[in-house]
């Protein structure tokens, strides 16, 4: 058997094609080098590039490709098979250098940790700490976050192995595509895109709400009301202006976005230090009693909230192609970011309990800020904590813009959404069309008021749980189908971890179903999910139509 020196640059997405006959070609095999970028911007993944046949005059090639079967790439593939010597030279001349076509790998350990941690630390640690302590108690809050954190970490372990094995932009889309096929992959990724997009839209309203605690005079005048929620011009201007800022930072590049993330996390840590030192110095353990609130079922009330608070660690796999670290370390840092977020929430809850007694907790609308003001004896300390909450909103918003734009990039590369979303900025190497689209929607979000956006964030949480279910399923499927796949971060007990992650994901998903105390609201929140599902169905039908038409035209 003869081996021709053929290199094909490949990408992660897959659409199976039937075997195609290549006439007038003797038995041969093609060496394939799996790396990026793709030839002529085509998005290839060769599964089997072995030409075979009993008849020396005939051969067959079995392969996979996507993006509507890119013409230039396929013609180059045929040309390379028929004329291997000439094609080798032609391919070297026409191949686009990796640094000019793909993402830029710039994220180091610190940037990866703050990306994942910042995605999980939003505004809730400022707004909800009093609620946690009142319902669960000081130790009960720690128990709830520890249990919820372990559950999310179990799901995160499946992400860690897959992210290290396939460090490609798109994360869940890549894993489920390879493990479960195009259809289920689209269901998973489309749900995830809804979750990411809804968070970005919600933050455009949450940020001016947080700013109002620092500057109540930002209200200019009510424009209109949407379902009882007033839409104030001042809120609209601040929300839209912030959206433009976050969009601009992300277009400038992942490194610029990581710098914003690092600065904001630095401010959050300063706030945490102020709160903790004040609580230890001037607070009291007596205030933290009861350790566990009565009834003890209040722990479950907080526990149900934990998975939603820890949504965001999965933005790390989305940006895997921009991480300049060994693949195994990507998986490790993902789990580290989860435990850091759990530790942060637990620290905030316990220090608030030490700072405020029960009557003060019950009377407080923003317990974290009030706790800082109480222990330091000055309202400036509380204002600093609220400013840290604003920084938390920015870190979450920034991270989900990164994640959402990379999800759109992966969907476009697979042909599920228009190819324009796969365009990278010629200078900054960012998926700028997807970033701009998310930014535009975020600018419009404040016009619809808080009520609608709260419904959207709840629907998005349900969509996130769908992704959390599909990834462990893909994890187990790939362990069965491709046991020899290189896995730099390898889980020792895959069945136990994968099965446990699936059970936990189903349990989390059931919390949003009818009959549960936290069920989605009918018809509003369910209507949002149904509309998004119908839009996804239209795109999937379009994808299948384009793919089938391309197959007929080619073969």
């Amino acid at each position: 058997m003869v081996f021709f020196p053929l290199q094909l640059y490949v990408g992660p997405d897959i659409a199976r094609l039937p075997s195609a006959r290549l006439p007038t070609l003797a038995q041969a095999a093609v060496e394939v080098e799996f790396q990026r970028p793709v030839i002529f911007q085509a998005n290839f993944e060769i599964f089997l590039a072995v030409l075979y046949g009993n008849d020396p005059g005939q051969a067959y090639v079995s392969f996979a490709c996507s993006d509507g079967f890119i013409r230039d790439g396929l013609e180059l593939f045929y040309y390379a098979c028929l004329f291997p010597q000439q094609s080798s030279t032609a391919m070297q001349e026409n191949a686009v250098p990796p640094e000019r076509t793909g993402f830029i790998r710039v994220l180091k350990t610190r940037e990866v940790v703050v990306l994942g941690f910042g995605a999980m630390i939003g505004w809730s640690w400022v707004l909800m700490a009093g609620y946690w302590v009142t319902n669960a108690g000081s130790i009960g809050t720690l128990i709830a976050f520890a249990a919820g954190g372990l559950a999310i970490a179990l799901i995160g372990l499946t992400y860690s192995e897959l992210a290290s094995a396939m460090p490609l932009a798109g994360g869940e889309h890549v894993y489920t595509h390879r493990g479960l096929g195009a259809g289920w992959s689209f269901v998973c990724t489309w749900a995830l895109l809804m979750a990411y997009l809804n968070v970005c839209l919600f933050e455009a309203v949450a940020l001016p709400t947080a700013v109002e605690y620092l500057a109540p005079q930002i209200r200019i005048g009510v424009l209109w009301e949407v379902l009882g929620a007033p839409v104030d011009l001042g809120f609209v201007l601040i929300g839209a202006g912030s959206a433009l800022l976050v969009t601009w930072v992300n277009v400038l590049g992942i490194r610029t976005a990581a710098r914003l993330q690092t600065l904001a996390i630095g401010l959050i840590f300063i706030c945490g230090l102020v709160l903790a030192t004040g609580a230890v110095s001037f607070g009291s353990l007596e205030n933290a009693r009861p350790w566990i609130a009565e009834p003890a079922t209040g722990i479950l009330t907080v526990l149900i909230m934990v998975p939603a608070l820890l949504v965001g660690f999965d933005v790390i796999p989305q940006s895997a192609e921009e991480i300049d670290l060994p693949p195994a370390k990507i998986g490790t840092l993902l789990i580290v970011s989860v435990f850091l977020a759990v530790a942060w929430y637990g620290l905030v809850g316990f220090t608030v309990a030490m700072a405020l007694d029960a009557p003060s907790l019950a009377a407080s609308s923003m317990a974290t800020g009030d706790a800082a003001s109480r222990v330091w004896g000055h309202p400036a300390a509380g204002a600093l904590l609220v400013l840290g909450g604003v920084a938390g909103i920015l870190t979450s918003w920034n991270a989900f813009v990164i994640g959402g734009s990379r999800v759109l990039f992966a969907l476009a590369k697979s042909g599920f959404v228009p190819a324009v979303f796969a365009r990278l900025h010629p200078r900054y190497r960012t998926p700028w069309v997807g970033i701009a689209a998310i930014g535009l929607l975020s600018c419009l979000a404040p016009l619809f008021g808080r009520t609608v956006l709260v419904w959207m964030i709840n629907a998005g949480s349900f969509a996130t749980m769908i992704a959390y279910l599909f990834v462990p399923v893909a994890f187990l499927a790939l362990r069965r189908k491709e046991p020899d796949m290189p896995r730099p971060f390898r889980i020792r007990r895959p069945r136990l971890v994968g099965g446990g992650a699936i059970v936990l994901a189903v349990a989390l998903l059931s919390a949003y179903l009818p009959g549960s105390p936290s069920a989605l609201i009918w018809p509003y929140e369910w209507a949002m999910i149904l509309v998004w599902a119908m839009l996804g169905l239209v795109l999937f039908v379009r994808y299948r139509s384009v793919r089938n038409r391309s197959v007929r035209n080619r073969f």
Side-chain angles (χ1 to χ4, degrees):
M1 183 171 287
V2 181
F3 287 85
F4 294 138
L6 172 63
Q7 288 185 338
L8 294 178
Y9 293 90
V10 302
D13 303 315
I14 304 161
R16 290 189 179 277
L17 277 174
S19 295
R21 176 171 294 184
L22 298 178
T24 69
L25 182 63
Q27 289 182 333
V30 180
E31 290 183 319
V32 181
E33 181 177 348
F34 284 80
Q35 55 180 294
R36 293 181 68 89
V38 295
I39 296 298
F40 293 119
Q41 303 297 313
N43 189 23
F44 278 87
E45 182 167 3
I46 305 302
F47 266 126
L48 182 62
V50 179
L51 308 179
Y52 63 92
N54 295 325
D55 185 347
Q58 295 180 340
Y60 297 85
V61 59
S62 181
F63 62 97
C65 79
S66 62
D67 285 345
F69 319 129
I70 305 298
R71 182 188 63 219
D72 292 336
L74 282 179
E75 288 179 353
L76 180 60
F77 181 77
Y78 276 84
Y79 181 73
C81 292
L82 293 172
F83 306 103
Q85 293 180 345
Q86 297 93 318
S87 67
S88 179
T89 302
M91 188 168 295
Q92 293 176 6
E93 293 175 352
N94 289 296
V96 184
E99 64 273 12
R100 287 169 45 200
T101 60
F103 290 103
I104 302 174
R105 294 186 181 273
V106 295
L107 299 182
K108 299 294 186 179
T109 299
R110 183 186 65 188
E111 288 86 356
V112 174
V113 172
V114 299
L115 177 63
F117 176 78
M120 292 178 276
I121 303 299
W123 173 241
S124 297
W125 65 276
V126 175
L127 196 63
M128 299 297 295
Y131 178 84
W132 304 333
V133 175
T134 300
N135 281 273
S138 55
I139 299 297
T141 298
L142 296 180
I143 293 172
F145 274 97
L150 286 174
I152 293 298
L154 193 64
I155 297 173
L157 284 172
T158 64
Y159 274 83
S160 293
E161 178 172 297
L162 294 171
S164 69
M166 293 169 279
L168 300 167
E172 291 92 333
H173 179 70
V174 180
Y175 318 147
T176 53
H177 210 322
R178 188 158 178 171
L180 305 176
W184 291 118
S185 175
F186 179 72
V187 173
C188 172
T189 315
W190 189 243
L192 191 68
L193 179 61
M194 179 186 187
Y196 285 1
L197 181 60
N198 284 2
V199 171
C200 294
L201 301 185
F202 179 78
E203 302 295 21
V205 174
L207 190 138
T209 302
V211 171
E212 186 183 21
Y213 283 94
L214 299 173
Q217 62 273 22
I218 65 170
R219 289 186 178 272
I220 297 175
V222 176
L223 298 175
W224 52 74
E225 290 188 359
V226 178
L227 297 172
V231 177
D232 188 88
L233 177 59
F235 275 47
V236 171
L237 293 177
I238 292 176
S242 302
L244 291 174
L245 173 64
V246 173
T247 301
W248 175 68
V249 167
N250 275 273
V251 169
L252 289 181
I254 188 74
R255 178 175 293 170
T256 306
R259 287 171 180 165
L260 172 63
Q261 197 82 347
T262 303
L263 290 173
I265 291 296
L267 176 58
I268 292 172
F269 280 169
I270 291 173
C271 293
L273 184 62
V274 168
L275 178 63
T277 54
V280 171
S281 302
F282 308 112
S284 170
L285 285 176
E286 288 301 315
N287 289 339
R289 295 180 183 275
W291 306 120
I292 297 178
E294 295 182 359
T297 52
I299 295 176
L300 296 178
T301 303
V302 179
L303 177 60
I304 291 174
M305 302 176 65
V306 174
L309 295 172
L310 297 180
V311 167
F313 68 86
D314 45 306
V315 301
I316 292 178
Q318 303 300 341
S319 56
E321 284 191 59
E322 296 156 282
I323 297 175
D324 188 21
L325 294 171
K329 195 168 185 179
I330 298 175
T332 301
L333 294 179
L334 188 151
I335 299 300
V336 168
S337 68
V338 172
F339 282 110
L340 283 176
V342 171
W344 174 262
Y345 281 122
L347 172 69
V348 169
F350 197 82
T351 52
V352 167
M354 290 179 62
L356 298 177
D357 55 23
S360 299
L361 274 176
S364 175
S365 61
M366 189 176 294
T368 306
D370 291 342
S373 298
R374 171 70 64 85
V375 294
W376 288 106
H378 199 284
L384 177 63
L385 267 292
V386 175
L387 188 61
V390 173
I393 292 173
L394 287 175
T395 60
S396 179
W397 195 350
N398 185 51
F400 281 104
V401 170
I402 292 173
S405 59
R406 274 62 179 178
V407 167
L408 271 172
F409 173 87
L411 287 170
K413 278 294 184 181
S414 298
F416 288 111
V417 300
V420 67
F421 290 105
R423 290 182 183 175
L424 296 182
H425 193 282
R427 178 180 178 183
Y428 303 118
R429 313 310 306 162
T430 52
W432 66 274
V433 177
I435 294 171
I438 295 173
L440 176 61
L441 292 174
S442 298
C443 288
L444 299 175
L447 297 174
F448 295 91
R450 184 177 178 83
T451 302
V452 173
L453 293 171
V454 169
W455 292 342
M456 292 182 67
I457 203 69
N458 291 338
S461 297
F462 174 82
T464 303
M465 297 307 132
I466 292 177
Y468 284 0
L469 174 61
F470 273 100
V471 171
V473 172
F475 165 82
L476 290 177
L478 286 170
R479 276 297 188 117
R480 178 178 56 83
K481 293 165 58 177
E482 301 185 50
D484 297 326
M485 174 193 292
R487 293 172 169 87
F489 186 101
R490 192 177 186 89
I491 304 301
R492 289 187 178 181
R493 298 180 179 273
R495 292 184 179 178
L496 178 63
V497 172
I502 290 172
V503 170
L504 288 171
V506 171
L508 294 173
L509 194 62
S510 65
Y512 296 91
L513 299 179
S516 169
S518 54
L520 296 181
I521 299 174
W522 175 265
Y524 307 109
E525 292 171 354
W526 282 110
M528 292 178 178
I529 293 173
L530 291 175
V531 169
W532 188 257
M534 292 303 298
L535 179 58
L537 180 61
V538 170
L539 290 173
F540 187 75
V541 170
R542 167 189 169 274
Y543 161 78
R544 294 295 296 268
S545 176
V546 170
R547 191 183 69 167
N548 292 338
R549 185 167 60 251
S550 300
V551 171
R552 289 194 299 269
N553 292 340
R554 288 288 173 186
F555 305 106

